[in-house]
Amino acid sequence: MAYRGMPGMTAPEFEHMSGAATRRRSGETRFTPNSFQYNARVAIGLVPSAILLLGVGGRPILGVLTVGLMISYILDSLQLRQGAFFGIWGTLLSTMLALVFTGASFSAAASVSTVMYILTLLVSFYLIFLIGVWASLQFRWFQLENPSVVLALERLLFACIPFTAATIQTWGVISAVGMVSAHYYLMLILFEMYWLFTIPHPSSFMLKTERRYGGQIAEEALIAGPLESSFHTLTLLFLPLFFYVGSHHARMFSSVYSVCDMLLLFFVPLLFLMFASSRGSLWWLAKDPRDLHQVRLVNGGIAAVVITICLEIRVIFLSYGQYISISPPWNYALVTVALLGGAGAVGAFLVGSLSEGVRSVLLSVLLQTAAVCGSFVLGLPYKFFPASIVAAHFLSQFCLKKSVISYFIAVVAATVPATWFVVHNFYNLNVWLGGVNIKHICQLIVGSVVLAMIIPGLSLIPYKFVHQLVAVGLIAQAVVICMGENRLYNFTNMFYYGLDDDVVYPSFLVVLTSVIGMALTRRLGAEKRISSWAVWVLFCLYGGKFSMLVVTSRNVLWASILLLLAITPPLVFYKDKGKGLSRMKPWQGLVHAGVVLVAVWLCRNTVFEVLQWATGQPPSDGLLLGFLVLATGLSSAPIVTQHFPHIQSAKSAMVLVITFGLCLIYIQPPVPSGWVLSQYRVHQWNYYPDELAIYGVTTTRPTWPSWLLIATIVTSLAAFTSALPIQHFVELRLLYSVGLGASGGIYLCAQYFYQAPLLHALLVAAVVCASVFLIFTHLPSESSPRFLPWVFALLVALLPVMYLVEGQIRAAADTEEDKFVASLAIEGGRTSLLGLYAAVFMLIALEIKLELTTIMRDKADKLGGRASIIGGARPRIAQQRRPTITNSFGVKKLAAEGAWMPAIGNLATILAFALSLILNLHLTGGSDRSIILLAPILLLLNQDANLLTGFGDRQRYFPSTLVVSGYLIISGGYRLWEEVWHGYQNAGWGLETGGPGLFFAAKNALLLLLTVPNHALFNRFMWDYVKQSDFVLMLITPLNIPAAIITDIGSVRVLAVLGLIFALVQYLVSRHIRIAGMKFI
């Protein structure tokens, strides 16, 4: 029958032809730009090594990386991808140079030999190079322009990371724990690297959809080729052994234990290699799966036998020989038979090599033989031998038939010898561990073992209520493990004062049991064998154990578990199928917040212990309360961020609670004793300074005003987050501004002017004026344009009054000593007053600058100049302010009646700058560097009709540059005059001692004059941006070079250097303006 889609061709012929064409198209391997898919694997190999290298290099390396990566990030954010690419490589090259210059950090390698030092540097350089390769693969433009290079770099990463990362990470482990077991650490790290990078992976940039028979990926699409895979395999097999031989060659055959170490270092990697070959790691060795299976069986069996015998000698007889009750040589024979029988049964069952006919008999015989030999070795009484034999028999029946009854019979029978062993060897000892008798520890161990044996059998029963029993059993087992490890690890460390982390129970066992427990819990949850609530509880139990590794406290484990149980429900529950997290109801959110509050309150004693451990002394009540409040806010954050992000009041409450906690932590106000109720309060530190014994009669400052500072900060944030609706009610706004200013003023009076009570009223009035002015400028009312200028005038008028009153109050003194003390007090009080007013004027100028910018933008938006272009949403603060402004008098009327704002802003800017200069002269003696920091204040100047009529946005940088130039010229002239005048007053001093004379004055005066033309030309350019002649610029710029080199006045040298910088900036800006103009034309 002809196929209608192709005349003259049958359907099978057409399908065969189209299938062949499709296979040809799908079999084509081609490059495809894509994101690098193995970032996580590469990070596991490179990031720990980079952190170690960063620790070796220290601050120079950290500084180079910080600066370089910031530059690269800025270039990338400006869409300069190539600049970011070369910035990263430049940063890494600079890091290599910094490593060379900080070679003292490799002192251990340098002390061995120069060759070792060079090799260490080369490995470090190669790691940095690999990091650069990894970063290069992230740039898509690099993939598009260099496809072959990208494929080569990807292959280079997978080929070189295992060896390099294993070398550096082993170096770090040796530096941390010593050289005793370094070869085994290297072996484990090589296992990790081999599993991550040698198991076949398709390239991230090769598109080849066709797979070979059996689902294997075609060799052309793999990252690593046969050469790399074989090199990784040889490294895995021989590098740990060679490392051991190189470090123990002097006593390599001194004992049987050394020989066992060498055998283990070869055959354990061989057994791991056979396991990894089941995932395709030996794809390059043989193409036939049957050949690989034979290789896996033979080599795996030999490796298992050798490993079993070596572990028998190296571990069992060396470490647990005291529990073997049979005398030689029968002990060696029985232990060997028991271990080989058990290992043979387990291995044969796992590989499935037993036939149906002999499987039952052979497995039962092997297990029973191992059980009988083990019972003889441990000295089990003959009356308990049947229990071991029954346990082995029914275990074999369970492995073959999956019978639950057989499993429980095996568990009950195995419990008998296990319980006898614990009771016989440990239960009757009069030993106390972790504050309890060893009998209690034995009970926990037996209970944990019994639960561990029962739970797998329960999980096989296909009933839901049994699954709930499994969940309860797993939770009970986790609780028992937590109790035991808390006693064996945490309490023993406390009793030994933390001098040894591994007194009884090593820390790695805490990590191991936690990781295994969490992995099994995740697997059981994924297979739906336990419910989600059980997974949640188990993760909290096992995750809480990590806290013992960080903090030594008797309650830290249970406090961590309690906090995890209180914090995590909003992240775990309230899920809809297929919809992710759902919004919980408000009452549920309040209940969860209350649970978090109660949990934090119950953990207050643990918080006290943690703070005492961190600070080295008992914390104050304010610090403790602050951390409790901060912990409550942070713990409640998931409720708000995950379920109530659309409710402004919830977000405001969270921010206010966190801010309140931070304020309590940093300010530490006095707290009533009933607010904390810590059981350790009797041990708290007395914070009463011993001033009477050391300094004589002094006065202590009151601490209660710190609550006013906290109230000021919190209420300001409450108004900013709209928790206080001051933008809607003028009366509330006035009350808030007066209260805010009063609390701030009282705090300043109590802390900095506590000995001048007559100033208190004036200072509080000044701070209230500043608060009212700022708040009503930001959120104006109808009467704001009328009374705000008078408020500012009152604020300015109070400055000279308080300045004079401060001197008059303290001037009345009888003795010379009192007058001297009073003069110091007057100087300090006036300096504080000037600093306060400088900060207030600067804040006022900034607020007015922002308000004028907002007015101009609103006006442009209303005219349609920017609304159609921007089209975006207004900022939230502007949206809050907009109804108040427009309802009062509109944008144009505000611009008309707000003409006072530019003048007051300019006056506030000039006053802030003048006061800052006075403080600079008083505190630093007129430092030249400070003018560079103070000049940006003048960027707050505005154009107005009174002070600065011709000043506009184009000239905004002119005042700053003019002030810098003028200040440095005046400072240079003053310092020159001071030097010359000093020599003139001491006649002959300059000539006799080589001090400043006529030549000194003429030389430095001429050099000062040489720097002036460049500054004058640049300031003129900053005013009108008119391009000057390049010839003039090139003529006067070199005049700064002799001034920068041979002058004796520091101000002149700074002027010269700034002149060179100004010339470069003027040239670049002029060139940019010219290019932009040419493009426009």
Side-chain angles (χ1 to χ4, degrees):
M1 180 178 178
Y3 187 69
R4 61 182 179 180
M6 186 70 65
M9 184 179 295
T10 61
E13 292 174 350
F14 179 80
E15 291 174 359
H16 176 76
M17 180 177 178
S18 61
T22 303
R23 285 193 298 270
R24 284 195 300 269
R25 288 194 300 269
S26 62
E28 295 177 357
T29 302
R30 57 189 177 87
F31 178 83
T32 302
N34 194 8
S35 60
F36 186 58
Q37 300 175 4
Y38 304 105
N39 285 321
R41 295 175 182 269
V42 175
I44 293 174
L46 294 183
V47 171
S49 306
I51 293 175
L52 175 65
L53 202 62
L54 184 63
V56 171
R59 291 185 177 180
I61 304 297
L62 182 61
V64 170
L65 284 177
T66 302
V67 175
L69 294 180
M70 285 179 61
I71 295 174
S72 301
Y73 176 77
I74 293 172
L75 293 174
D76 185 68
S77 62
L78 295 175
Q79 305 298 320
L80 300 175
R81 307 302 184 192
Q82 295 182 352
F85 175 83
F86 290 107
I88 290 175
W89 278 103
T91 302
L92 296 177
L93 180 61
S94 303
T95 304
M96 294 181 185
L97 296 177
L99 274 178
V100 174
F101 291 116
T102 58
S105 300
F106 299 107
S107 56
S111 61
V112 176
S113 65
T114 306
V115 176
M116 183 63 66
Y117 174 71
I118 295 175
L119 290 177
T120 305
L121 276 180
L122 289 178
V123 173
S124 303
F125 289 170
Y126 200 68
L127 174 68
I128 296 172
F129 171 74
L130 292 178
I131 294 174
V133 170
W134 182 28
S136 301
L137 293 178
Q138 314 301 321
F139 290 91
R140 193 171 183 85
W141 69 267
F142 185 74
Q143 300 174 13
L144 294 173
E145 295 183 5
N146 307 279
S148 59
V149 176
V150 168
L151 293 176
L153 292 181
E154 184 185 35
R155 189 172 183 178
L156 180 67
L157 272 182
F158 271 69
C160 299
I161 285 179
F163 180 79
T164 308
T167 303
I168 297 181
Q169 291 182 22
T170 305
W171 173 28
V173 172
I174 292 173
S175 302
V177 300
M179 191 67 185
V180 178
S181 302
H183 38 279
Y184 288 109
Y185 296 137
L186 175 60
M187 182 180 68
L188 294 177
I189 295 173
L190 285 174
F191 286 174
E192 179 189 19
M193 296 296 111
Y194 190 86
W195 188 263
L196 290 175
F197 296 100
T198 310
I199 302 297
H201 295 97
S203 174
S204 303
F205 312 105
M206 294 291 289
L207 180 62
K208 186 177 180 66
T209 58
E210 181 186 10
R211 290 174 178 260
R212 291 183 178 272
Y213 179 76
Q216 296 180 356
I217 304 171
E219 296 181 8
E220 295 82 0
L222 296 178
I223 298 177
L227 179 62
E228 296 88 351
S229 300
S230 60
F231 178 76
H232 291 170
T233 302
L234 293 175
T235 302
L236 175 70
L237 290 176
F238 295 103
L239 186 60
L241 178 61
F242 289 165
F243 183 72
Y244 180 84
V245 171
S247 58
H248 297 77
H249 60 276
R251 51 187 182 88
M252 195 166 47
F253 298 101
S254 60
S255 65
V256 67
Y257 302 119
S258 300
V259 176
C260 289
D261 281 333
M262 290 189 290
L263 292 175
L264 286 173
L265 290 174
F266 178 77
F267 283 100
V268 172
L270 179 61
L271 185 62
F272 176 80
L273 178 63
M274 295 301 102
F275 173 71
S277 66
S278 62
R279 302 299 178 90
S281 64
L282 296 179
W283 63 271
W284 51 273
L285 185 62
K287 304 299 182 182
D288 190 356
R290 290 175 295 182
D291 296 339
L292 279 178
H293 185 66
Q294 294 296 327
V295 170
R296 191 181 304 122
L297 285 180
V298 174
N299 289 276
I302 296 174
V305 172
V306 176
I307 290 171
T308 302
I309 297 175
C310 291
L311 289 178
E312 174 187 346
I313 300 172
R314 187 70 177 84
V315 178
I316 293 178
F317 284 101
L318 181 63
S319 301
Y320 303 101
Q322 66 269 26
Y323 302 114
I324 299 176
S325 59
I326 304 298
S327 59
W330 298 107
N331 55 351
Y332 295 105
L334 291 176
V335 171
T336 303
V337 172
L339 291 178
L340 289 179
V346 173
F349 173 75
L350 291 178
V351 299
S353 62
L354 297 177
S355 63
E356 291 291 338
V358 300
R359 181 168 52 180
S360 176
V361 177
L362 183 59
L363 191 60
S364 178
V365 169
L366 287 174
L367 288 177
Q368 291 182 33
T369 303
V372 172
C373 294
S375 300
F376 273 113
V377 168
L378 296 178
L380 189 70
Y382 293 111
K383 60 182 178 181
F384 294 140
F385 270 47
S388 301
I389 297 173
V390 169
H393 172 73
F394 281 97
L395 181 61
S396 64
Q397 295 300 314
F398 168 75
C399 293
L400 294 173
K401 301 178 181 179
K402 297 297 186 293
S403 173
V404 178
I405 297 177
S406 299
Y407 180 82
F408 280 107
I409 294 175
V411 168
V412 173
T415 303
V416 176
T419 305
W420 175 88
F421 178 79
V422 174
V423 172
H424 177 73
N425 290 284
F426 305 106
Y427 195 77
N428 295 321
L429 297 177
N430 188 17
V431 177
W432 288 72
L433 293 175
V436 296
N437 194 281
I438 197 172
K439 294 181 179 180
H440 180 68
I441 304 297
C442 292
Q443 294 169 2
L444 292 177
I445 293 174
V446 173
S448 178
V449 170
V450 171
L451 287 173
M453 291 190 296
I454 291 176
I455 291 171
L458 290 176
S459 63
L460 297 175
I461 301 177
Y463 296 104
K464 285 189 176 180
F465 74 93
V466 179
H467 288 177
Q468 300 299 326
L469 290 178
V470 172
V472 174
L474 288 172
I475 294 173
Q477 184 191 27
V479 171
V480 171
I481 292 175
C482 290
M483 293 172 61
E485 291 187 349
N486 190 37
R487 289 289 180 178
L488 293 176
Y489 177 79
N490 195 24
F491 274 59
T492 51
N493 284 343
M494 290 175 57
F495 294 148
Y496 281 87
Y497 302 102
L499 299 178
D500 189 357
D501 290 337
D502 299 332
V503 176
V504 175
Y505 195 82
S507 56
F508 75 88
L509 285 181
V510 178
V511 178
L512 184 63
T513 55
S514 300
V515 172
I516 293 176
M518 297 173 76
L520 292 176
T521 301
R522 183 177 179 272
R523 180 69 177 270
L524 293 174
E527 295 178 355
K528 304 297 182 182
R529 294 183 181 271
I530 56 176
S531 57
S532 59
W533 68 268
V535 175
W536 163 62
V537 174
L538 288 170
F539 265 97
C540 292
L541 289 172
Y542 286 114
K545 291 201 302 173
F546 289 104
S547 61
M548 296 189 299
L549 303 174
V550 181
V551 179
T552 302
S553 171
R554 61 181 181 178
N555 297 320
V556 67
L557 172 62
W558 306 114
S560 302
I561 294 173
L562 180 61
L563 287 177
L564 287 175
L565 291 173
I567 295 170
T568 52
L571 299 173
V572 177
F573 301 106
Y574 303 98
K575 291 183 178 180
D576 292 337
K577 293 182 179 180
K579 297 181 180 179
L581 286 174
S582 62
R583 307 299 183 194
M584 67 170 63
K585 298 178 181 179
W587 68 267
Q588 293 174 330
L590 292 176
V591 170
H592 281 295
V595 170
V596 169
L597 179 61
V598 173
V600 173
W601 180 253
L602 293 177
C603 298
R604 64 188 184 278
N605 294 325
T606 303
V607 176
F608 182 95
E609 293 177 348
V610 171
L611 292 176
Q612 185 176 13
W613 169 80
T615 60
Q617 62 182 7
S620 64
D621 287 340
L623 183 63
L624 178 59
L625 182 61
F627 271 97
L628 292 178
V629 175
L630 180 62
T632 303
L634 295 177
S635 302
S636 303
I639 303 174
V640 178
T641 58
Q642 297 294 332
H643 300 279
F644 301 102
H646 56 286
I647 299 179
Q648 180 62 33
S649 59
K651 295 190 291 184
S652 300
M654 180 189 68
V655 173
L656 290 177
V657 171
I658 294 176
T659 305
F660 182 58
L662 292 174
C663 291
L664 290 174
I665 291 172
Y666 286 104
I667 299 175
Q668 298 185 24
V671 177
S673 59
W675 286 21
V676 179
L677 295 177
S678 173
Q679 67 180 14
Y680 304 108
R681 180 171 173 77
V682 293
H683 302 295
Q684 289 188 14
W685 183 269
N686 267 333
Y687 283 92
Y688 298 102
D690 197 7
E691 295 177 347
L692 292 177
I694 300 176
Y695 304 106
V697 179
T698 59
T699 58
T700 58
R701 300 180 182 179
T703 55
W704 61 265
S706 55
W707 282 106
L708 295 176
L709 179 61
I710 295 175
T712 302
I713 296 173
V714 174
T715 53
S716 301
L717 190 61
F720 182 77
T721 57
S722 302
L724 288 177
I726 61 174
Q727 66 271 20
H728 301 301
F729 305 99
V730 178
E731 294 80 7
L732 180 61
R733 198 181 313 159
L734 179 61
L735 181 63
Y736 167 76
S737 60
V738 173
L740 190 68
S743 62
I746 295 173
Y747 170 78
L748 292 174
C749 292
Q751 291 295 318
Y752 302 102
F753 301 94
Y754 55 94
Q755 290 185 346
L758 294 180
L759 280 178
H760 291 174
L762 298 175
L763 187 59
V764 171
V767 178
V768 168
C769 289
S771 175
V772 171
F773 185 89
L774 289 170
I775 291 174
F776 277 88
T777 302
H778 186 69
L779 299 172
S781 63
E782 294 183 359
S783 57
S784 294
R786 294 193 296 271
F787 76 85
L788 284 185
W790 295 103
V791 173
F792 182 78
L794 178 60
L795 176 64
V796 175
L798 287 174
L799 174 60
V801 174
M802 287 189 289
Y803 192 85
L804 295 176
V805 170
E806 173 72 17
Q808 294 297 325
I809 291 175
R810 302 177 185 266
D814 299 332
T815 63
E816 292 296 330
E817 182 179 356
D818 292 339
K819 290 182 180 180
F820 177 73
V821 174
S823 64
L824 294 179
I826 291 173
E827 184 179 0
R830 287 179 171 176
T831 302
S832 302
L833 186 63
L834 293 179
L836 173 63
Y837 259 86
V840 169
F841 285 142
M842 199 178 305
L843 191 59
I844 290 174
L846 178 62
E847 175 62 29
I848 290 178
K849 185 73 173 181
L850 295 176
E851 289 301 313
L852 291 176
T853 304
T854 303
I855 290 173
M856 298 303 296
R857 185 170 58 241
D858 290 343
K859 185 176 180 180
D861 290 346
K862 190 171 183 180
L863 294 176
R866 293 179 59 185
S868 59
I869 300 176
I870 299 177
R874 305 290 300 150
R876 186 177 59 82
I877 298 177
Q879 291 176 359
Q880 295 174 0
R881 296 176 59 253
R882 197 177 186 88
T884 304
I885 297 174
T886 53
N887 291 336
S888 300
F889 35 75
V891 177
K892 290 186 177 180
K893 190 173 182 181
L894 177 64
E897 296 189 9
W900 54 272
M901 293 178 66
I904 291 182
N906 291 337
L907 183 59
T909 303
I910 295 173
L911 289 174
F913 181 74
L915 293 177
S916 300
L917 280 181
I918 294 173
L919 291 173
N920 175 47
L921 293 174
H922 179 73
L923 298 176
T924 66
S927 173
D928 295 331
R929 292 173 292 182
S930 61
I931 190 61
I932 301 175
L933 301 176
L934 297 178
I937 297 176
L938 297 178
L939 293 174
L940 300 175
L941 290 173
N942 309 285
Q943 184 180 11
D944 62 69
N946 300 317
L947 294 177
L948 300 173
T949 55
F951 183 77
D953 187 65
R954 188 180 182 87
Q955 292 83 21
R956 61 183 179 273
Y957 299 109
F958 171 73
S960 299
T961 58
L962 180 64
V963 165
V964 170
S965 301
Y967 180 88
L968 291 175
I969 291 173
I970 295 174
S971 175
Y974 173 76
R975 296 182 189 279
L976 177 60
W977 172 82
E978 189 178 31
E979 292 286 341
V980 175
W981 180 254
H982 180 71
Y984 175 77
Q985 290 291 329
N986 299 274
W989 176 82
L991 297 177
E992 293 174 1
T993 63
L998 182 60
F999 176 76
F1000 176 87
K1003 180 187 71 172
N1004 288 282
L1006 179 60
L1007 294 175
L1008 177 61
L1009 292 177
L1010 290 178
T1011 62
V1012 172
N1014 205 267
H1015 284 263
L1017 192 65
F1018 180 75
N1019 282 283
R1020 180 184 174 185
F1021 175 74
M1022 285 284 97
W1023 177 260
D1024 53 16
Y1025 284 91
V1026 176
K1027 184 179 183 300
Q1028 305 295 327
S1029 174
D1030 293 339
F1031 176 75
V1032 176
L1033 195 62
M1034 294 178 60
L1035 184 64
I1036 64 175
T1037 301
L1039 298 178
N1040 296 282
I1041 298 177
I1045 297 176
I1046 63 177
T1047 184
D1048 301 308
I1049 307 297
S1051 302
V1052 178
R1053 182 172 290 107
V1054 175
L1055 265 174
V1057 173
L1058 279 179
L1060 295 173
I1061 297 174
F1062 285 170
L1064 179 61
V1065 171
Q1066 182 176 351
Y1067 172 75
L1068 294 177
V1069 172
S1070 300
R1071 184 175 178 272
H1072 176 74
I1073 294 174
R1074 182 176 178 275
I1075 293 175
M1078 295 298 293
K1079 289 182 179 180
F1080 181 77
I1081 295 175

